[in-house]
Amino acid sequence: MRNLRSEANTTQSVIAASQAKIESVQSQMETSQERARKLTDENERLQAEHEQAVMEQDGIAAELDSRVAKLDGLEEEVAAAERTFQRTRGDLDAAREQASSAHKELANASSRLDVLRQLVASGEGFEKGTQAVIKGLDEPEFFNTGVRGVLAGLIEVEKEYTAAVEAALGSNLQAVLVRDANYAQAIIDRLTEKKLGEAAIIPEDFVSAGAAGQMMTVPDGAETWAMDRVKADSKVAAVVESLLSKVLIVSDLSTAMGMRAELKDITLVTLRGEVLKPEGLITGGLSSGDQSSVLDRQNEVRELETQVAELEVADEAARAHHADLEKLVTEHREAAELARERLQKARVEESTLQGQLSLASREVESLESKLAGVEWELNDIREREGDVVTGREKLEQELAQA
């Protein structure tokens, strides 16, 4: 009886211990399950945050890729703008030099023209009396009003024949055309009274209407009829035709000598300026010093007038081109600066995005690390739950056997 009681006590002790263990295991399971629920909630939250972080990271990465791609285009845009600016600046330098050269050429031609005009106006190369008439005979307010011009200034001779025509006309080149005979007489009287020299005067009302011009055929061996190489103002055309009506231009004095026998009533003039008159008088030769040709000077004045007019157009065009290029250089400089600013801004934005991407990547890595920790703890709880369940089943079996 004592043994049975002892066994019963032992059994009760085993049962009590097993029940206590089962209750402890049950408590552990409940605690683990509660922790597992919290970890599951934490895992879901972290998963959502991770997905959001990955989306933000991908968005930043995509934006960064787009900005990097645009950077190449912006760098090329800067390079192209800089090349255009440098090329235009080079064109401006060339245009500035061209404008300076054109202006200098115009200034030189204008200066030469002014000098020649002054010489013509002063009667440079004319006799004292002619110069006195041109200057107004000490009473310019009266005498200058009726002077139409000097014969030399009222005709135009082809350049290669100026020496011949000047020799043929001789002192007649200095003849002064005035408005009428009364005016001419007043001039002669003043020249005589003041002893201002001699001058040839042509009253405009003495000049008859011009003829049709030189119509004779040029003889063999001659160059041309002098009148055919002269353009005369209508006011003196008849006078010039009269003076040159029988003047034939030949190449040289030998040719003139050879042609004289057949052209005894013709004045023969060489291209160099020798004159062989019908009466047999030969003039020619050259003195030392500067030989100023009145007709050459007149021709040079006309040529310079044309040249100056053309140079003025060229100068204006050069200055306008220079101004256009200055404006264009300013525009291209501003375009290059704007392109550089856009590139700099894009680089700053790229750097900012790089920083944002780095932060986003660290955030994703942090969340992934937390998720891994939660997953590990959940797996650990699951394993421990399995061990607890096995232990509880074993205790229950032991309890049942007891």
Side-chain angles (χ1 to χ4, degrees), residues 36-333:
R37 281 193 297 272
K38 290 181 178 180
L39 287 174
T40 300
D41 293 342
E42 177 71 6
N43 185 66
E44 291 176 355
R45 182 184 66 78
L46 289 174
Q47 285 286 359
E49 290 182 3
H50 180 264
E51 290 178 3
Q52 182 65 29
V54 169
M55 287 178 60
E56 291 179 359
Q57 181 188 38
D58 291 343
I60 294 171
E63 179 66 16
L64 181 60
D65 290 341
S66 175
R67 294 298 177 89
V68 170
K70 289 179 179 179
L71 270 179
D72 293 338
L74 288 173
E75 287 173 351
E76 177 56 33
E77 182 181 335
V78 169
E82 186 64 28
R83 286 195 299 270
T84 300
F85 168 63
Q86 294 297 339
R87 183 173 60 252
T88 308
R89 190 166 65 175
D91 292 343
L92 176 61
D93 291 340
R96 184 180 293 113
E97 184 176 348
Q98 181 182 0
S100 175
S101 176
H103 186 72
K104 182 178 180 180
E105 188 176 359
L106 173 60
N108 291 338
S110 297
S111 176
R112 173 63 178 167
L113 178 59
D114 290 341
V115 170
L116 288 176
R117 281 173 171 169
Q118 290 172 10
L119 291 176
V120 171
S122 66
E124 179 69 23
F126 292 156
E127 296 295 335
K128 178 183 176 182
T130 304
Q131 291 187 10
V133 174
I134 293 174
K135 293 175 182 178
L137 296 169
D138 299 331
E139 194 179 343
E141 64 277 5
F142 171 73
F143 286 103
N144 280 353
T145 58
V147 175
R148 305 302 191 218
V150 179
L151 184 63
L154 297 172
I155 64 173
E156 183 178 350
V157 181
E158 294 180 23
K159 191 171 183 179
E160 61 182 300
Y161 299 108
T162 55
V165 172
E166 193 161 342
L169 291 174
S171 62
N172 292 319
L173 274 175
Q174 302 183 34
V176 182
L177 181 69
V178 299
R179 66 188 179 193
D180 55 40
N182 291 332
Y183 204 78
Q185 185 174 348
I187 290 174
I188 296 298
D189 289 344
R190 177 59 65 90
L191 287 170
T192 303
E193 177 188 348
K194 298 291 186 178
K195 297 181 180 179
L196 297 175
E198 295 182 354
I201 309 298
I202 306 174
E204 196 170 357
D205 54 356
F206 278 19
V207 180
S208 60
Q214 187 74 46
M215 297 298 292
M216 297 173 61
T217 302
V218 178
D220 292 339
E223 296 291 322
T224 181
W225 289 104
M227 192 59 213
D228 291 341
R229 302 302 171 183
V230 178
K231 293 180 181 178
D233 188 290
S234 59
K235 294 189 291 290
V236 295
V239 174
V240 176
E241 289 174 8
S242 176
L243 293 172
L244 297 177
S245 62
K246 289 188 177 182
V247 177
L248 186 64
I249 299 176
V250 297
S251 60
D252 52 44
L253 188 56
S254 295
T255 301
M257 293 288 200
M259 297 180 69
R260 181 179 180 277
E262 296 180 1
L263 302 170
K264 292 182 179 181
D265 60 340
I266 300 297
T267 297
L268 301 170
V269 186
T270 70
L271 292 173
R272 196 166 61 179
E274 294 104 350
V275 181
L276 178 55
K277 292 185 175 294
E279 57 269 25
L281 179 65
I282 302 174
T283 58
L286 190 65
S287 62
S288 60
D290 181 30
Q291 299 297 314
S292 178
S293 168
V294 175
L295 293 181
D296 282 341
R297 185 182 301 149
Q298 293 285 358
N299 280 343
E300 187 176 0
V301 167
R302 295 185 185 96
E303 290 173 358
L304 282 172
E305 286 174 341
T306 300
Q307 183 182 1
V308 165
E310 293 173 351
L311 288 174
E312 285 175 344
V313 173
D315 180 60
E316 179 64 26
R319 286 189 286 112
H321 182 53
H322 179 265
D324 289 343
L325 282 174
E326 280 188 327
K327 181 179 178 182
L328 198 59
V329 163
T330 299
E331 292 175 355
H332 288 169
R333 181 190 295 111

